[in-house]
């Protein structure tokens, strides 16, 4: 009888401990979801307000009681935005600079990242440290040397000069990011390919490169978005109106006295934001896909 009572009390204690752990996990998970939801709301608020502002008529924009949903939505702000500023030409300049610079940065960073990840020595560690430190440099610190270099090369007010600056600026981040992806690829896969008779080039092309595809796509996306949204370099280096990028043209909706033409500005800013969102939505599966999916030796 005493043994039965002892087992019953022990079982009850285990059940109580299990219930407490379950309650703790539930509370923790609920708190995490609540924090995530609050963060998503914090991120979404400016974009949602931008959408609302872009479709509001002037009467609602000047109201002292703003509303989330426009009472009389209109496309007039978009028409005025295209009439006031050359948005299509500026978008073309931004697209060319962002796409070309991202492509060049990826082409340069991929073999460099492979070398840093696979051949670890003092030089590679020093290079990695320099890459990390370089990301802390403020733009103001490097803009004057860059301007003087480009002036000596006669590349000021040049799309080629701006692309070169974007490549240099995005290359350290692309290199650091791709190095992490290369290190996540097991070296055993390359060793197995070598045992099967594959040379170094064939191993890199047939084994390593497909596994790096999600990392390359993600890095290219970040490099593209960084160049697409960049403002300071484009403002300083480009003077001709026909060469200016979209972020610079958006500032033209602000008058000389600092008063913004809010409706057209919101409409133009919304159009400038959409390409990045659509690009990310189109390739997000590629980014989130498992890096080692299908990494099975036949």
């Amino acid at each position: 009888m005493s043994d039965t009572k002892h087992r019953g009390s022990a079982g009850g204690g285990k059940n109580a401990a299990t219930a407490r752990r379950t309650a703790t996990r539930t509370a923790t998970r609920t708190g995490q979801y609540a924090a995530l939801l609050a963060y998503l709301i914090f991120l979404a608020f400016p974009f949602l307000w931008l959408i609302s502002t872009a479709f509001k008529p002037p009467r609602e924009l000047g109201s002292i009681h703003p509303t989330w949903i426009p009472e009389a939505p209109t496309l007039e702000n978009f028409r005025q935005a295209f009439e006031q500023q050359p948005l299509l030409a500026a978008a073309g300049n931004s697209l060319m600079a962002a796409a070309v610079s991202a492509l060049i940065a990826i082409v340069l960073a991929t073999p460099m990242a492979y070398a840093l990840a696979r051949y670890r020595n003092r030089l590679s560690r020093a290079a990695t440290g320099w890459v990390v430190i370089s990301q802390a440099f403020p733009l103001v610190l490097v803009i004057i040397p860059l301007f003087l270099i480009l002036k000596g090369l006669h590349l000021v007010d040049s799309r080629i000069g701006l692309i070169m600056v974007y490549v240099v600026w995005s290359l350290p981040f692309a290199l650091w990011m791709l190095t992490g992806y290369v290190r996540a690829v097991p070296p055993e896969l390359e060793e197995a390919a070598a045992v099967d008779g594959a040379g170094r080039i064939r191993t890199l092309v047939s084994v390593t490169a497909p596994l790096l595809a999600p990392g390359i796509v993600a890095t290219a996306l970040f490099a593209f978005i960084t160049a697409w949204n960049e403002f300071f370099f484009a403002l300083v280096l480009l003077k001709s109106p026909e060469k200016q990028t979209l972020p610079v043209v958006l500032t033209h909706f602000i008058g000389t006295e600092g008063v913004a033409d809010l409706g057209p500005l919101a409409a133009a800013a919304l159009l400038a934001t959409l390409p990045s969102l659509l690009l990310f939505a189109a390739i997000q599966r590629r980014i989130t896909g498992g890096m080692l999916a299908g990494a099975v030796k036949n």
Side-chain angles (χ1 to χ4, degrees):
M1 181 66 69
S2 60
D3 292 340
T4 302
K5 290 182 178 180
H6 179 71
R7 287 194 297 268
S9 60
K14 291 181 179 179
N15 292 336
T18 303
R20 286 194 297 269
R21 286 195 297 268
T22 302
T24 301
R25 285 195 298 267
T26 301
T28 302
R29 184 168 300 178
T30 301
Q32 291 173 345
Y33 284 140
L36 179 60
L37 179 61
Y39 184 63
L40 291 176
I41 294 174
F42 173 78
L43 292 179
F45 174 78
F47 183 66
L48 295 178
W49 191 256
L50 179 65
I51 296 176
S52 176
T53 304
F55 289 95
K56 286 182 178 179
R59 180 180 59 82
E60 294 186 40
L61 290 174
S63 175
I64 61 175
H65 301 291
T67 57
W68 271 100
I69 301 176
E71 297 177 357
T74 178
L75 295 176
E76 182 65 19
N77 292 327
F78 294 90
R79 186 188 66 81
Q80 292 184 14
F82 280 100
E83 287 183 352
Q84 293 177 18
Q85 301 297 335
L87 296 180
L88 290 179
N93 293 334
S94 292
L95 179 62
M96 182 185 67
V100 174
S101 62
L103 178 61
I104 296 175
I106 290 299
V107 171
L108 295 177
T110 301
M112 295 167 62
Y114 183 85
L116 288 177
R118 288 291 185 259
Y119 306 104
R120 300 187 183 183
N121 48 42
R122 292 183 178 179
L123 180 61
S124 65
R125 288 193 292 270
T128 303
W130 174 252
V131 167
V132 175
I133 293 175
S134 66
Q135 295 302 294
F137 289 170
L139 297 180
V140 179
L141 184 65
V142 299
I143 188 59
I144 295 179
L146 282 175
F147 184 86
L148 295 177
I149 292 173
L150 292 178
K151 184 178 180 181
L153 297 174
H154 303 286
L155 291 177
V156 175
D157 196 23
S158 166
R159 296 184 180 93
I160 296 177
L162 183 65
I163 291 173
M164 292 174 58
V165 171
Y166 284 170
V167 171
V168 172
W169 189 250
S170 61
L171 187 59
F173 177 79
L175 180 59
W176 174 77
M177 193 170 179
L178 283 174
T179 300
Y181 279 102
V182 174
R183 288 175 178 171
V185 177
E188 291 77 11
L189 295 175
E190 299 176 2
E191 295 171 0
V195 170
D196 290 341
R200 170 64 66 179
I201 301 299
R202 183 178 177 183
T203 299
L204 294 178
V205 173
S206 302
V207 177
T208 308
L211 299 178
L212 288 178
I216 292 175
V217 172
T219 306
L221 175 63
F222 282 108
F224 177 88
I225 293 177
T226 299
W228 176 269
N229 295 327
E230 200 282 322
F231 169 77
F232 188 63
F233 287 138
L235 176 66
V236 174
L237 300 177
L238 298 178
K239 298 302 179 183
S240 300
E242 67 274 7
K243 297 178 182 179
Q244 290 179 342
T245 59
L246 195 53
V248 177
V249 171
L250 291 180
T251 63
H252 297 170
F253 289 99
I254 301 177
T256 55
E257 297 181 356
V259 179
D261 196 354
L262 193 56
L265 175 58
L270 178 60
L271 294 176
T273 306
L274 288 179
S276 299
L277 296 178
L278 295 177
L279 179 62
F280 182 82
I283 63 176
Q284 57 91 16
R285 290 186 179 180
R286 185 75 173 180
I287 296 175
T288 57
M291 282 188 57
L292 304 181
V296 180
K297 179 186 173 185
N298 294 325

